[in-house]
Amino acid sequence: MTKSTAQSLMLQRQLIQYLAAGDCCSGEWLAQQTGISRAAIARHIDQLQEIGLDIYAVTGKGYRLATPLQLLDLTEMKQYQSAAAPEIWLQHLTDSTNTQLLKRLQDGHQLQKGQVLVAEAQTAGRGRRGNSWFSPFGSNLYFSMYWQLEHGIQAAMGLSLVVGIAIARMLEQHYQLGVQLKWPNDLYAGQRKLGGILVELSGQTHANCDVVIGIGLNIQMPAQAQQQISQPFTDLVSLLDKPLNRNELIPLLQHSLCETLSQFEHSGFNSFVEAFNQRNVFAGQPVTLSGAGGSQHGICQGVDGQGGLVLEQQGQQKAYYGGELSLRGQPE
Ligand code: BTN
């Protein structure tokens, strides 16, 4: 990072801190506080709008956030972690939290199992199938966790399903919120997408398999999301109908993942079949599974002991291990 990029990020962070409470701040006051000109303040405000902050100018008064923001704060997150919990890293702005953890692994850094990286915004957030992941500042959760599977790459089968179960359990237990899972790695609530999972494997240099688990969870989508996202979506604040503390949610998610993934390592996917099937968003419905080899139609029966999707086709049950699932007659 160049010196001027670092300075500019620092200034933006300062501006966000002044605006976070939702008060109106004049350009002149912001210029005094930060020691830069009013024109420079206006340029930085433009850049903040570009990374997804909903800031508007109030004529004659200054700048204001459309809704107050609670910023991510490591000290607060620590209060919700147990003493033995792996570290959480925070980046204000990054390209992609998954890319950053993968890069650290490729550069030979040792990471602790369960170590997490979160960011306030991503400039190149990645979804599955090469899609980009809408990542506006401060509104959602952009979370990546390092894990290592001790039985190599074959143990990765079913991993994203287990991650979905860990997220669902945490939301049920701590927020009394029921969510559904779409095979292989989406979170749904009321037929709308609430989050997605992107599991990526790093180059193997030993029998163990390094994994980066990326989770994007919608917390409070800004108004512009309607223009950016083509499928129906929802967020936690609308579902719970009250504000949500991301600094509490992140350690809770880390804990649930560590617990559930340890169980997965000891008992394999077989012990999760029921947990997935209970939350299967398309249970008993006619679905289409599209893959490189064409499309399969059938009734969605859930998953088998390896994490494969079971379809009932002409009275027979058949398991599939890849492809994109959708309700029959609807886009993926
Ligand atoms: C999907 O549904 O397509 C998966 C989306 C995964 C998004 C998360 S956000 C944190 C992590 N960093 C990324 O670039 N992607 C994942």
Side-chain angles (χ1 to χ4, degrees), residues 95-99 117 122 124-129 131-135 141-144 185-187 193 195-200 212-217 231:
D95 48 359
S96 144
T97 52
N98 263 33
T99 305
L117 172 65
Q122 300 184 119
R126 295 186 287 110
R128 290 182 62 236
R129 298 193 289 158
N131 291 329
S132 61
W133 187 255
F134 180 58
S135 309
L141 186 72
Y142 317 116
F143 174 110
S144 294
N185 43 20
D186 281 342
L187 271 117
K193 184 157 168 166
I197 299 159
L198 178 67
V199 172
E200 296 186 290
V212 171
I213 298 163
I215 298 171
L217 199 56
Q231 65 187 131

Side-chain angles (χ1 to χ4, degrees), residues 74-86:
L74 284 179
T75 315
E76 192 181 343
M77 284 184 223
K78 267 212 166 71
Q79 292 168 13
Y80 295 101
Q81 278 188 303
S82 69

Side-chain angles (χ1 to χ4, degrees), residues 12-25:
Q12 288 175 8
R13 199 170 313 167
Q14 265 181 291
L15 291 179
I16 294 165
Q17 271 157 357
Y18 291 128
L19 293 165
D23 300 327
C24 191
C25 301

Side-chain angles (χ1 to χ4, degrees), residues 140-182:
N140 295 322
L141 186 72
Y142 317 116
F143 174 110
S144 294
M145 189 173 101
Y146 167 70
W147 197 255
Q148 191 178 65
L149 291 168
E150 274 142 33
H151 303 295
I153 212 149
Q154 68 278 14
M157 186 96 159
L159 185 72
S160 68
L161 303 178
V162 173
V163 170
I165 293 167
I167 305 170
R169 282 178 175 170
M170 183 275 295
L171 292 173
E172 286 157 9
Q173 198 180 334
H174 296 280
Y175 299 90
Q176 291 71 53
L177 185 72
V179 295
Q180 290 86 49
L181 301 171
K182 179 185 146 193

